[in-house]
Amino acid sequence: MKMKVKIKNKKEVSPERLSKRIKISPKNRNGLERLLKCQAKRGLKYSKKRAAIIEYFIKADRHYTVEQLYNEIKEIVPNIGYSTIYRTLRLLVDCGMARTHHFGETDTRFELVHKEQHHDHLVCEKCGRIIEFTNNGIEKFQNAVAKEHNFLVKNRELQIFGVCKRCQQRKR
Amino acid sequence: MKMKVKIKNKKEVSPERLSKRIKISPKNRNGLERLLKCQAKRGLKYSKKRAAIIEYFIKADRHYTVEQLYNEIKEIVPNIGYSTIYRTLRLLVDCGMARTHHFGETDTRFELVHKEQHHDHLVCEKCGRIIEFTNNGIEKFQNAVAKEHNFLVKNRELQIFGVCKRCQQRKR
DNA sequence: ATTAATAATGAAAATGAAAGTCAAGATCAA
DNA sequence: TTGATCTTGACTTTCATTTTCATTATTAAT
Ligand SMILES: [Mn+2]
Ligand SMILES: [Mn+2]
Ligand SMILES: [Zn+2]
Ligand SMILES: [Zn+2]
């Protein structure tokens, strides 16, 4: 006879359990655990729709506007509401699993936080393409500037706006 | 008897003439001329209120939200409307005399373009202070990155968010 | 100075992204 | 299965910004 195991301080769904529901690659594991901690701390329950959004967002791994994500998600989860997308993305940001950007547009863009290093963006003004890059030289000089001003750095954001290679070629 | 001089292709108010109305320091002269060209091209007329806003904005030389500028301008020009501030700032941006920033707030900030060199900002998250800096090392590496990607740079924006010296001291 | 053409203005309405509300449905520990 | 609590979508609200429009100001030609 199988005994029912009683777990005392649960509230916290195990990563294994949620992983069965949210299919996720190993590299996003730490992000997922962060999310679970966050959910637990807030007493949030599991939800299919939220899980679907998160799973999709993680797999796609792009710089999404709410509108874009909404349009893609609704193909998978019909009846999904705009609010749920907004709420879920806000949750991810609060948990540190996502971050926001403003690439010169009105809409906020959301991107998954899973890369080890800080990275910045080249933003093509013609086609909207976003190219990520990391540059230690830039980082170093940024830190030097901060130190000069006795400024305690919490975060930084660098965007280089212009025309991508492809769009330059297409022009002529 | 004084002859009336007829100017053929006017439409374009001379900088001298507008300068008499908009009191401006020499260093903002090129900006002013750009504005006049811009006004002329669009067939805009002179306006006291617009001139007052521009003059104030140039003299104050800060990173303004529309609300801030509105509140300060209305002391000088009562009855001024919000729309006029919005419209004038938009004009300045279109003429290349002002540029916008988003320092992690909802409101857009406007700043005068008159400095020779591109500059970036340290933004204090505690007190809102904005510290400008220029760093050639950063610029150099940014250009290197762009070149690597065959990216044609039009503009760039770097913000370093954190806590300024003063706010760090105040904390303890 | 008068005039006619047209730009500028402020008040109010419209827009659009983002957040809040709430009744009905979903989740979960017991 | 139940009761407590969370989640959801439709709707409303908020707030920055833009647009509209009737009135006023500017300009160049008389
Ligand atoms: Mn990115
Ligand atoms: Mn500045
Ligand atoms: Zn492109
Ligand atoms: Zn400060």
Side-chain angles (χ1 to χ4, degrees), chain A residues 25 30-31 49 54 59 63 71 73 81 86-87 89 95-96 118 120 123 131 142 144-145 153:
Chain A
S25 74
N30 49 352
K49 296 186 175 178
I54 294 172
K59 279 205 191 113
H63 304 85
N71 285 326
I73 289 285
Y86 270 108
R87 276 188 287 242
L89 285 175
C95 297
H118 174 88
D120 293 304
V123 181
I131 302 159
Q142 282 179 9
V145 168
V153 177

Side-chain angles (χ1 to χ4, degrees), chain A residues 38-165:
Chain A
C38 206
Q39 282 200 177
K41 198 180 302 169
R42 295 164 187 232
L44 305 188
K45 293 182 176 166
Y46 169 85
S47 125
K48 282 179 202 164
K49 296 186 175 178
R50 188 160 60 206
I53 296 169
I54 294 172
E55 189 179 332
Y56 189 88
F57 180 68
I58 289 175
K59 279 205 191 113
D61 192 15
R62 289 169 42 200
H63 304 85
Y64 272 106
T65 62
V66 171
E67 192 187 5
Q68 279 178 346
L69 190 53
Y70 170 76
N71 285 326
E72 297 183 18
I73 289 285
K74 79 171 177 214
E75 302 299 322
I76 301 168
V77 188
N79 293 58
I80 195 91
Y82 247 94
S83 315
T84 306
I85 309 287
Y86 270 108
R87 276 188 287 242
T88 303
L89 285 175
R90 223 189 307 158
L91 174 67
L92 291 185
V93 170
D94 291 350
C95 297
M97 258 190 85
R99 79 165 57 87
T100 60
H101 293 290
H102 289 92
F103 293 148
E105 308 150 311
T106 58
D107 291 26
T108 304
R109 284 188 182 269
F110 295 80
E111 106 173 288
L112 186 65
V113 175
H114 71 272
K115 292 127 186 163
E116 325 64 35
Q117 296 183 58
H118 174 88
H119 70 271
D120 293 304
H121 301 91
L122 296 163
V123 181
C124 178
E125 290 171 337
K126 298 288 178 197
C127 69
R129 196 150 71 104
I130 292 160
I131 302 159
E132 302 187 335
F133 70 88
T134 310
N135 185 293
N136 292 109
I138 293 176
E139 307 269 322
K140 208 170 285 177
F141 279 105
Q142 282 179 9
N143 289 330
V145 168
K147 187 170 262 178
E148 272 174 41
H149 291 272
N150 287 299
F151 191 87
L152 177 62
V153 177
K154 294 288 188 188
N155 195 13
R156 44 186 132 212
E157 188 158 357
L158 164 64
Q159 277 109 35
I160 301 180
F161 299 99
V163 186
C164 78
K165 184 180 181 181

